[in-house]
Amino acid sequence: MTDVTLPAGAAIKLKLDRDGVIKRLFMGVIALYLIVALALPLYTMLSKSFVTYGFELDRYEFQVSDEAGVFGAPVTAEALNEQLGLKSADDLASNSDGRLTVTDFFPDFSFRSPVKYRLRGTTSDAPYLVGLDLQNTTEWREYDSNTFRRINLRPVQSVGPQNYVEYFSNPALFSSIENSVFIAVVSTILTVVFAFWFAYALNRSCMRFKGFFKLVAMMPILVPSLLPGIALIYLFGNQGMLNSLLMGQSIYGPLGIVIGSVFFTFPHAMIIITTALSIADQRQYEAAESLRASKWRTFWTVTIPGARYGLISAAFVTFTLVITDFGLPKVIGGQYNVLAIDIYKQVIGQQNFEMGAVVSVILLIPAVLAFYVDRQVQKKQVSLLSARSVPYQPKPNRKFDAVCLAWCTLMAVYIVGIIAICQYAALIKFWPYNLSLSLNNYAFDKMDGGGWSAYYNSIKLACLTAVFGTVIVFTGAYMVEKIDGFKTGRGLFQFLAMLPMAVPGMVLGLAYIFFFNNPDNPLNFIYGTMIILVVSTVTHFYTVGHLTALTALKQIDAEFEPVASSLRQPFYRLFTRVTVPVCMPAILDISIYMFVNAMTTVSAVVFIYSTHTALASVAVLNMDDAGDIAPAAAMGMMIFYTNAGARLLHMFASKRILGRTQAWRLR
């Protein structure tokens, strides 16, 4: 028989059903949220960093009369400036709110003189102020001397790299990069080393009180990063309890920043390293023992290689947290400038938003690089556990267990001591002259910072963030995980979902100023409200929740969707009756993560809160700025106790909810 070649038929295309269309719409809506809440503000901020302002004197032309009212020949402001040698090119550089008094160009000016002046623009863009009235015209305008003294030229906007040139040519600003990298590297090394030995003691020893030490290690997560700075002031400040131990060194500067950074980054590194150490295979240690390898050699050839990806990830997470932190350097940094403080000074202190955008872009670079390298390293990680793996079981060793107990006790004293000092500071009347205990420092309504309403605003923000953030994050993760096909769209969504991890809070907050404070933006109405604080906080902490949800969703067999479809059940019924109950532990974890971080965040909201939406974490900063350090410590402790209470409530609620939704796991 001869082979018969059939003609090529039409290409088969799968037709989307209604569930597929709805899933794509949901994913599109959340992707749009991430674009509006993250991508567009960052683009606006990047564009703003290239915007410069300066006085272009050739755009203005004057005429001056004599006392009889006869006007002379026109002359530009540029010609007058060259004639008098008043302003250099650097003097003419300005920011968006700059003003240049026109009387500077007329040395003989007197507001009582009968002389009159005329002013016009030589181009269509030559703004100037007469009092508070903005003028921008090429027609001559005549003014008497008394009015002329109220005229100020306004800067003109242009685009170029001048802001970056100015930044890198300023030694004081440029040194902030070196300071930030130095602090981040030193803090990262110390934190990873301390956290590794702490996690090693918990996983590889048979010491007692492991549960207590795990609980203590997580305490720094419950407080804002400003709190360790306040504690260090009371311990080692100019009038500190243990000031003599520093032997003449000052806690205000790199020393204080490093000590405080180790405190608030310790639990993050410890969690990652603990996870890496917990997946060790007992058989590898038995093989090393059978080969008569020493414990030291086994440590370097088995333990470290097995945990290397966790160590690398912990290092990059710690580095990013330290280099982007704002609260701790603000409280105890003294005159030691870092990038996050430069942003704050440029925006709040000098109102130079363009230079603040430049520093934000520079701060964004190391954070993005650290995140990128971390992701690449994680891609190379291979599975260390197989079906035949045997979980590692530590053997009792009295000497080793004692050493581990001593180390964990030392770290616990360090962590608990920092928080205890803050609580002590919050209760004393007036340090160091009146050490009697009182609750006067909790009278927040008598202090700067927003009073008790700031504390209640923080609880409101945390609750709204926990509810709406959890819904948005979990829904987005479900859609991107359970959609069939649509590879390009899913890839773009994953990129948007991972991007917040690489964006420092201060950078995001400044980007929101540029984007949402624009009157032409239809979303301008949310600026200065609680809504923008919720959007900022959800966006800032989106990535961790997204990864948590994806991890839970990947554990669900993919066969559920086709089975439900064959039974003609809509996806939302499967979602509510199967997916949500199965993933309830992850959903509860996301909610408490959002709540705690919303209570403690400072950097993401310090630029965008208003007088009506002041927050407790920002109140700590403002009270410290005003010199009310004890009330600042009191507000910080209120945040700690609120988060601790939320954790306990979450634990009891989880036990009850999971008892109903996870009963199938025990069958």
Side-chain angles (χ1 to χ4, degrees):
M1 293 180 62
T2 58
D3 293 335
V4 178
T5 303
L6 296 176
I12 299 176
K13 294 183 179 180
L14 294 177
K15 185 178 180 181
L16 283 177
D17 59 4
R18 185 182 64 177
D19 285 354
V21 173
I22 295 176
K23 287 180 181 179
R24 281 165 170 74
L25 286 175
F26 268 107
M27 191 176 75
V29 169
I30 297 177
L32 180 62
Y33 164 82
L34 289 172
I35 290 172
V36 173
L38 182 65
L40 290 180
L42 289 177
Y43 173 77
T44 304
M45 186 197 68
L46 179 62
S47 302
K48 198 73 174 178
S49 70
F50 289 96
V51 172
T52 59
Y53 290 89
F55 298 101
E56 298 188 10
L57 302 183
D58 60 338
R59 294 173 180 250
Y60 303 94
E61 203 169 39
F62 299 100
Q63 277 187 304
V64 185
S65 76
D66 56 20
E67 294 186 357
V70 178
F71 283 92
V75 59
T76 64
E78 184 178 32
L80 291 172
N81 185 59
E82 292 178 355
Q83 177 183 344
L84 299 171
L86 293 174
K87 306 290 183 181
S88 65
D90 291 339
D91 294 332
L92 295 176
S94 180
N95 56 34
S96 58
D97 198 40
R99 288 170 172 78
L100 182 59
T101 305
V102 294
T103 56
D104 291 346
F105 299 104
F106 302 93
D108 299 330
F109 173 80
S110 172
F111 71 92
R112 293 189 177 91
S113 171
V115 172
K116 293 186 178 181
Y117 299 84
R118 287 177 179 172
L119 171 60
R120 76 179 183 95
T122 59
T123 67
S124 58
D125 186 16
Y128 62 93
L129 290 173
V130 181
L132 296 177
D133 296 329
L134 181 64
Q135 302 290 325
N136 195 350
T137 178
T138 56
E139 298 180 1
W140 288 107
R141 292 285 188 266
E142 188 173 314
Y143 305 98
D144 58 36
S145 296
N146 190 43
T147 305
F148 190 69
R149 66 171 177 167
R150 299 170 55 235
I151 297 178
N152 292 279
L153 304 185
R154 297 283 281 128
V156 178
Q157 177 179 312
S158 60
V159 177
Q162 290 89 337
N163 288 329
Y164 289 90
V165 174
E166 180 183 347
Y167 181 86
F168 287 105
S169 62
N170 188 327
L173 292 176
F174 185 70
S175 65
S176 297
I177 300 177
E178 298 176 352
N179 293 344
S180 293
V181 173
F182 172 76
I183 289 293
V185 170
V186 173
S187 300
T188 298
I189 293 173
L190 293 176
T191 302
V192 172
V193 170
F194 293 167
F196 174 80
W197 289 114
F198 193 93
Y200 190 82
L202 292 178
N203 285 272
R204 301 302 168 86
S205 75
C206 295
M207 69 175 189
R208 302 173 62 187
F209 311 118
K210 287 186 179 182
F212 169 76
F213 288 124
K214 289 179 182 178
L215 184 65
V216 169
M218 301 306 296
M219 291 173 69
I221 291 180
L222 306 180
V223 301
S225 62
L226 302 91
L227 211 58
I230 295 175
L232 291 175
I233 291 174
Y234 276 89
L235 282 172
F236 304 107
N238 295 332
Q239 296 177 320
M241 307 174 192
L242 307 176
N243 177 266
S244 59
L245 295 180
L246 295 182
M247 294 180 291
Q249 298 296 317
S250 175
I251 197 68
Y252 300 99
L255 180 61
I257 299 175
V258 169
I259 295 175
S261 296
V262 171
F263 173 85
F264 83 85
T265 59
F266 180 84
H268 301 275
M270 193 272 295
I271 291 171
I272 297 172
I273 296 173
T274 297
T275 303
L277 290 173
S278 65
I279 60 175
D281 191 344
Q282 176 78 31
R283 297 175 303 164
Q284 294 178 341
Y285 291 88
E286 292 174 351
E289 186 176 354
S290 65
L291 294 173
R292 298 183 179 180
S294 65
K295 292 184 185 255
W296 187 245
R297 185 168 184 178
T298 302
F299 174 80
W300 285 107
T301 58
V302 179
T303 303
I304 293 299
R308 65 184 182 275
Y309 292 109
L311 289 170
I312 294 172
S313 183
F316 282 115
V317 167
T318 303
F319 180 88
T320 303
L321 288 172
V322 175
I323 203 170
T324 59
D325 181 56
F326 160 73
L328 184 61
K330 182 69 176 66
V331 172
I332 204 168
Q335 301 302 314
Y336 193 80
N337 284 342
V338 294
L339 286 170
I341 296 298
D342 277 352
I343 298 175
Y344 186 79
K345 288 180 177 179
Q346 293 294 333
V347 174
I348 302 298
Q350 302 181 28
Q351 295 292 301
N352 191 344
F353 291 91
E354 291 74 29
M355 190 58 71
V358 170
V359 185
S360 296
V361 172
I362 295 171
L363 180 60
L364 191 60
I365 292 173
V368 171
L369 286 177
F371 174 75
Y372 174 77
V373 173
D374 180 46
R375 300 302 300 175
Q376 293 301 115
V377 168
Q378 289 186 22
K379 287 181 181 179
K380 296 180 180 179
Q381 184 173 4
V382 295
S383 177
L384 298 178
L385 284 180
S386 64
R388 298 180 181 179
S389 296
V390 178
Y392 181 84
Q393 294 294 332
K395 298 177 182 179
N397 184 318
R398 181 175 297 180
K399 184 177 180 181
F400 178 70
D401 293 345
V403 172
C404 290
L405 181 62
W407 173 250
C408 290
T409 301
L410 181 63
M411 292 303 302
V413 169
Y414 166 62
I415 293 172
V416 174
I418 291 288
I419 296 178
I421 288 298
C422 286
Q423 181 58 78
Y424 177 65
L427 292 175
I428 58 177
K429 285 187 176 180
F430 187 58
W431 174 266
Y433 306 106
N434 186 350
L435 302 183
S436 58
L437 302 182
S438 170
L439 294 177
N440 292 341
N441 292 322
Y442 287 89
F444 299 128
D445 289 333
K446 299 179 181 179
M447 317 288 179
D448 291 331
W452 277 102
S453 62
Y455 172 72
Y456 298 132
N457 283 339
S458 280
I459 295 179
K460 182 179 179 181
L461 170 65
C463 291
L464 291 173
T465 301
V467 173
F468 290 103
T470 303
V471 171
I472 293 171
V473 169
F474 188 79
T475 303
Y478 175 82
M479 297 306 164
V480 76
E481 177 65 22
K482 298 302 181 180
I483 284 180
D484 296 324
F486 201 40
K487 185 176 180 180
T488 303
R490 293 169 65 191
L492 177 61
F493 186 94
Q494 285 283 41
F495 171 76
L496 290 172
M498 299 303 295
L499 187 58
M501 179 69 81
V503 179
M506 292 201 74
V507 174
L508 185 65
L510 185 58
Y512 274 34
I513 293 179
F514 294 135
F515 184 69
F516 289 104
N517 198 31
N518 185 351
D520 296 330
N521 189 334
L523 296 174
N524 173 257
F525 69 93
I526 74 170
Y527 192 79
T529 67
M530 182 62 71
I531 297 175
I532 195 172
L533 297 180
V534 174
V535 171
S536 172
T537 309
V538 170
T539 305
H540 187 209
F541 300 107
Y542 189 98
T543 302
V544 173
H546 178 76
L547 292 175
T548 303
L550 282 183
T551 302
L553 289 166
K554 288 181 183 296
Q555 296 175 357
I556 301 178
D557 198 322
E559 296 297 324
F560 279 100
E561 279 70 23
V563 169
S565 179
S566 66
L567 295 174
R568 296 186 178 182
Q569 296 296 312
F571 85 93
Y572 56 82
R573 188 165 296 173
L574 174 69
F575 178 78
T576 55
R577 295 187 178 182
V578 177
T579 306
V580 170
V582 170
C583 296
M584 187 56 69
I587 293 174
L588 293 173
D589 286 343
I590 295 170
S591 65
I592 192 62
Y593 172 81
M594 289 285 185
F595 183 95
V596 169
N597 281 284
M599 286 294 299
T600 60
T601 185
V602 179
S603 58
V605 297
V606 71
F607 289 146
I608 55 177
Y609 76 96
S610 66
T611 54
H612 302 293
T613 58
L615 301 174
S617 56
V618 179
V620 176
L621 175 67
N622 292 337
M623 285 189 284
D624 179 77
D625 272 347
D628 296 326
I629 302 180
M635 182 65 84
M637 292 309 299
M638 288 302 302
I639 295 174
F640 171 74
Y641 290 129
T642 302
N643 281 335
R647 283 279 188 182
L648 290 174
L649 183 62
H650 170 265
M651 182 178 66
F652 290 123
S654 297
K655 188 175 181 180
R656 185 169 183 177
I657 294 172
L658 297 181
R660 298 175 59 184
T661 62
Q662 308 299 305
W664 58 275
R665 295 181 184 269
L666 303 177
R667 294 176 183 175

